[in-house]
Amino acid sequence: GDSVTQMEGPVTLSEEAFLTINCTYTATGYPSLFWYVQYPGEGLQLLLKATKADDKGSNKGFEATYRKETTSFHLEKGSVQVSDSAVYFCALNRGGSEKLVFGKGTKLTVNP
Amino acid sequence: NAGVTQTPKFRVLKTGQSMTLLCAQDMNHEYMYWYRQDPGMGLRLIHYSVGEGTTAKGEVPDGYNVSRLKKQNFLLGLESAAPSQTSVYFCASSYETSGSLWGYEQYFGPGTRLTVT
């Protein structure tokens, strides 16, 4: 079945450091890929998405590129801020399926 | 647009008590979902609905029931609460995905923190 694997956390960085959170997936066909973010005490919010191979999703300085050849959708940000501290979830949705498949989440803490 | 709202935000139950969580969305979405979030487990799908009057089981449906009598509302019921149901519950909704070449994102509510003692 479909699955998403993302790097185990927690990840702790200093402000202005470079961030990478790895995400790989297994799915039939050509799923859409998503990154969601969950700030403390809140629900999940869509951060960015990509719907086909080589698409790059971007938002709030975060980027992720849909790599079909490596089945990956790694999240990157060039310079993190304290306000980026949150849990990040990678997810996929196979076209025509009702469900999202989530990774287990990666907790990011950014220290000043 | 309020988006997806959940009632209540917090609740404490004793073992064996029952309760209903309410989810409402004002985006005219066809699909609605209930998840639970536990430390180290990510999000797990409890039940979902692909339209008014329909429901389906997700990954962890035991101990829960749901109803979708109106398109905008999705209720999650616990008939006899157990400590293992202590969790944060999230509701989500999305546009209809069947027949689409690509998936649609889900929109999440703020969550309900439930403690069963």
Side-chain angles (χ1 to χ4, degrees), chain A residues 15 17 20 28-29 32 36 54 63 71 73 88 90 104 107:
Chain A
E15 210 165 20
T20 300
T28 55
S32 292
Y36 281 84
D54 300 325
E63 292 182 342
T71 62
F73 192 54
Y88 293 82
C90 185
K104 291 196 184 258
K107 183 175 182 179

Side-chain angles (χ1 to χ4, degrees), chain B:
Chain B
N1 265 359
V4 180
T5 57
Q6 293 182 233
T7 309
K9 288 187 168 47
F10 302 94
R11 187 71 187 267
V12 178
L13 288 179
K14 293 189 188 316
T15 298
Q17 287 185 319
S18 63
M19 77 162 294
T20 300
L21 307 184
L22 171 63
C23 175
Q25 53 94 4
D26 61 2
M27 296 174 282
N28 202 33
H29 285 169
E30 285 294 330
Y31 292 4
M32 296 187 75
Y33 309 82
W34 276 107
Y35 294 91
R36 59 178 289 172
Q37 184 179 31
D38 303 291
M41 304 291 289
L43 284 161
R44 293 183 290 172
L45 182 65
I46 304 171
H47 286 281
Y48 64 100
S49 167
V50 299
E52 183 178 316
T54 74
T55 62
K57 293 181 180 179
E59 186 184 349
V60 288
D62 295 341
Y64 304 94
N65 56 75
V66 288
S67 64
R68 183 105 181 264
L69 298 180
K70 293 183 179 180
K71 184 176 183 179
Q72 63 268 34
N73 295 338
F74 195 31
L75 278 63
L76 178 72
L78 286 72
E79 289 186 348
S80 179
S84 61
Q85 294 177 305
T86 294
S87 188
V88 181
Y89 292 85
F90 289 100
C91 177
S93 68
S94 75
Y95 293 104
E96 181 180 353
T97 62
S98 64
S100 169
L101 292 177
W102 59 85
Y104 291 110
E105 63 264 32
Q106 292 179 11
Y107 296 76
F108 283 79
T112 295
R113 185 173 293 275
L114 175 66
T115 302
V116 183
T117 62

